[in-house]
């Protein structure tokens, strides 16, 4: 096993790309990442995608995108783990390069969620739940998150307004990220008046399904260092899983997989939560951000919301999150989201986050959740 | 990089499992494989699946199956490459174990294609084509294979009856495989009278979409040898890709990706086509079997059909194929098919193929094709 580094990043704007196909979005992100990486070949392409088959009628994105971006012939595959698909694709690339099976791996997360609306879109997104025991009864991933939030409010005596801190922080940070979907600011007053989507999750709490692509190129750290280009080392890469169905989990208010993958990652990196300077968490809904803060050890159990409300997640807080907008402010392009997290963490560590720059950021954690925590994929990035 | 071996195999009957869910099929195959493997833990689960999201409303099979088979918490992911999804899942496991990132990896290919019939099923299968340039015009994967067959007949002066040898061989071998879908024998006379599905591909030429699951457990060869359990070494694992759209390929009658992946595999194994004792090829249609024989170097260009007609693919031929029925006789459960190929090759090499046993089989090749050759995944197994 050898150290691996990120030597190139790229991303498209996140939004409703009705006039741009999956392959064109992927091309845009890959072109930027590949130009930065500047390597003479790519050994493997790993595509993170969740719903192209259901919503765009397109499978086998590995071969399709490899061909379209000028890599015809290269080893290529698509990786899926619901909304953690992007993180899962990164993980496969890390396995290949860290194990010495490949030198240069390209990862692209790409998704188009806005072309199809209404029940067909909801049905597609519900494939992330347990089809036989959850979706069959009409529940969707967001409805499950809503039940988790209701339980959180009950157990920890939290009010709707208490959750506003997450979305306010996300939108504030997205406002100065040119790639983000939303540039409007939120307030507690506007948050609590927003129309309900899945009570108690409202429009300003739920991340918007969107279109976009993000890409990274991974190489051995020794090789990257010899070139001396300020690459970002991946100090940890860890996956854990839990039951899909929320009713099957030991505790609906504890993200067991998120905790397990974070702690595996800490062990790999030889760190604790205290060593992390900022985190890109899976804030598809505020309650998930709160539970992720707790599972990763950034906040005590039941204190995730208070931690946010007290400013702990702000740019100058103890553990800044969603530093470029997160899922809520940047937008949530499904299987691309997990790769956006890595791209944004690399931006921070390179000092390329512009007005969003976290001062002295040297260690960043990213965590991608699939199906409200059934899959959790944690990476820790370090600027040495 | 270290050698890896298959230390456990399992499979369900292939057929129409209307009363058995995806997770139950997976459990059945995994239970057998895991009992054989008899290891104290599993480091990662790799699920090969193509259409569960579209046809069963189920995504994130990695976490779902991990939980259901008693591996809750384990690293798990789903891998897709159209009809090569099973082979692609095996490849990810090989990357992880050969690179030393995991010791024991479990692979399961699982698919249910028979629950949905009619246009919805065809639409789902058409996700394996280029959606924007092929499926949008109404073409399906089998229709593309039909155009390849028509071109083959024209270029190489082959008649419909000449292709019968593939299906006759497949059904003969399936007849004595208890896991196979079809146990009826075919003749040239019955073959040429079969109703057309996509002219010139008829009902007895096209592999039947089916349900099933197959599983293997992979471990380091050194570890397996110490235990002395007659494990099967994976001497090669190689992936190559080509354009999805047939019109974009350099030559519609040459499977460039199949050739590239086979030759990569030969180089890894230090072998040539002559060293292979039998092959499990992707005979979703006879023309694909013919083109695969040519791409892998078992027959000269344009001679694949004649090679079969002359007995070259029979159990006692130069290169036996579909030795336990292949896709045509065993049935084609989509993303499970690529794993069935490995399971069957292991059966042959272990001497557990019963009446289908190939005499002195010591080297077997498997090749999984996605989207009529847009993805090709080749493994070479060896009994040392």
């Amino acid at each position: 096993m050898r150290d691996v580094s990120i030597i190139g990043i790229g991303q498209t704007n996140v939004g409703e790309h009705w006039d741009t196909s999956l392959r064109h979005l992927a091309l845009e992100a890959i072109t930027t990442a590949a130009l930065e990486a500047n390597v003479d070949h790519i050994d493997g392409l790993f595509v993170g995608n969740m719903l192209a088959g259901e919503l765009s009628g397109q499978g086998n994105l590995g071969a399709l995108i490899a061909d379209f971006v000028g890599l015809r012939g290269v080893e290529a595959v698509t990786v899926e783990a619901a909304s953690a698909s992007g993180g899962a694709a990164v993980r496969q690339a890390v396995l290949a390069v860290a194990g010495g099976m490949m030198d240069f791996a390209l990862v692209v997360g790409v998704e188009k969620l806005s072309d199809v609306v209404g029940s067909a879109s909801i049905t597609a997104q519900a494939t992330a739940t347990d089809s036989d025991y959850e979706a069959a009864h009409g529940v969707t991933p967001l409805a499950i998150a809503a039940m988790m939030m209701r339980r959180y409010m009950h157990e920890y005596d939290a009010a709707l307004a208490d959750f506003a801190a997450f979305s306010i922080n996300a939108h504030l940070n997205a406002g100065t990220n040119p790639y983000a979907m939303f540039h409007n600011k939120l307030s507690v007053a506007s948050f609590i008046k927003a129309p309900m989507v899945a009570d108690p999750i409202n429009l300003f709490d739920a991340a918007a399904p969107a279109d976009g692509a993000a890409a990274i190129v991974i190489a051995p750290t020794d090789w990257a260092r010899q070139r001396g280009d300020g690459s970002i080392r991946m100090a940890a890469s860890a996956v854990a899983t839990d039951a899909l169905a929320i009713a099957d989990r030991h505790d609906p208010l504890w993200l067991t997989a998120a905790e397990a993958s974070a702690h595996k990652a800490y062990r790999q990196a030889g760190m604790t939560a205290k060593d992390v300077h900022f985190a890109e968490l899976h804030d598809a809904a505020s309650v998930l951000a709160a539970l992720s803060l707790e599972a990763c050890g950034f906040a005590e159990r039941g204190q995730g919301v208070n931690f946010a409300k007290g400013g702990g997640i702000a740019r100058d807080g103890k553990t800044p999150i969603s530093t470029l907008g997160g899922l809520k402010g940047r937008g949530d392009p499904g299987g691309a989201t997990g790769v956006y997290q890595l791209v944004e963490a690399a931006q921070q560590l390179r000092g390329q986050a512009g007005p969003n720059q976290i001062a002295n950021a040297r260690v960043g954690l990213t965590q991608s959740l699939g199906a409200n925590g059934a899959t959790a994929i944690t990476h820790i990035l370090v600027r040495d």
Side-chain angles (χ1 to χ4, degrees), chain A:
Chain A
M1 182 177 169
R2 57 184 177 177
D3 285 345
V4 302
S5 290
I6 295 176
I7 60 166
I9 60 174
Q11 60 188 314
T12 71
N13 290 344
V14 176
E16 295 178 339
H17 290 287
W18 295 336
D19 55 353
T20 311
S21 72
L22 282 162
R23 72 189 82 187
H24 284 90
L25 288 172
L27 174 65
E28 185 182 331
I30 287 172
T31 300
T32 309
L35 284 170
E36 279 195 7
N38 190 27
V39 291
D40 62 2
H41 75 283
I42 290 290
D43 294 302
L45 168 65
F46 298 86
V47 179
N49 176 268
M50 176 181 175
L51 293 175
E54 289 86 339
L55 298 181
S56 307
Q58 186 64 68
N60 208 1
L61 285 174
L64 182 84
I65 292 173
D67 181 37
F68 192 68
V69 304
L71 293 171
R72 181 181 290 193
V74 79
E75 173 164 0
V77 75
T78 307
V79 180
E80 187 268 342
S83 43
S85 298
V90 173
R91 170 62 176 163
Q92 297 312 306
V94 170
L95 285 174
V97 178
M101 302 295 288
M102 294 186 182
D103 286 329
F104 304 119
L106 171 62
V107 184
V108 66
V110 61
E111 196 83 58
K112 291 204 73 180
L113 298 179
S114 79
D115 284 358
V116 176
V117 295
S119 67
S121 167
I122 301 297
T123 299
Q125 293 193 32
T127 59
T129 69
D130 187 317
S131 173
D132 295 344
Y133 294 92
E134 292 184 327
H137 303 285
V139 86
T140 65
L142 198 67
I144 291 168
M147 289 190 281
M148 297 164 83
M149 180 168 169
R150 178 67 73 193
R151 187 78 195 164
Y152 196 103
M153 294 166 81
H154 172 79
E155 288 286 337
Y156 303 134
D157 199 23
L160 177 62
D162 295 328
F163 289 84
F166 290 103
S167 294
I168 291 170
N169 175 67
H171 275 249
L172 183 71
N173 290 338
T176 43
N177 174 7
Y179 297 104
M181 189 169 186
F182 297 108
H183 295 110
N184 60 313
K185 289 186 184 170
L186 297 183
S187 66
V188 176
S190 63
F191 181 86
I192 60 174
K193 280 188 295 189
M196 281 297 164
V197 179
D199 192 357
I201 293 179
N202 65 34
L203 193 65
F204 290 171
D205 188 320
D211 312 331
I216 62 173
V217 180
I218 295 173
T221 299
D222 284 349
W223 181 93
R225 280 190 183 144
Q226 277 172 17
R227 202 170 63 167
D229 62 351
S231 64
I232 302 302
R233 183 166 61 86
M234 304 180 80
S237 172
V239 183
T241 55
D242 196 357
L244 249 67
I246 190 82
D248 285 339
R249 298 189 192 165
H250 295 306
D251 180 344
L253 283 188
W254 193 251
L255 298 179
T256 304
E259 179 190 32
S261 82
H263 282 79
K264 270 200 255 186
Y266 292 145
R267 278 195 300 277
Q268 288 176 20
M271 293 182 183
T272 71
K274 288 192 180 67
D275 298 311
V276 173
H277 298 142
F278 69 96
E280 296 302 330
L281 302 178
H282 196 87
D283 58 332
S286 294
V287 67
L288 292 174
L291 293 174
S292 297
L293 282 170
E294 299 172 18
C296 293
F298 300 127
E300 294 294 312
R301 180 172 177 136
Q303 293 299 313
V305 168
N306 288 335
F307 183 83
K309 209 176 154 191
I313 64 170
R315 284 182 205 168
D316 59 355
K318 194 175 158 207
T319 309
I321 72 167
S322 306
T323 67
L324 284 144
L327 281 65
K328 179 65 195 81
R330 177 231 299 128
D332 180 13
T337 293
V339 187
Y340 271 97
Q341 293 178 318
L342 275 287
V343 166
E344 291 163 352
Q347 284 181 272
Q348 288 288 1
L349 296 170
R350 288 170 167 189
Q352 296 175 340
N356 296 50
Q357 186 63 48
I358 304 298
N360 304 315
R362 208 181 55 76
V363 178
L365 177 147
T366 68
Q367 188 174 72
S368 189
L369 299 184
N372 290 315
T375 302
I377 303 176
T378 306
H379 287 95
I380 296 177
L381 305 189
V382 174
R383 189 195 71 222
D384 291 310

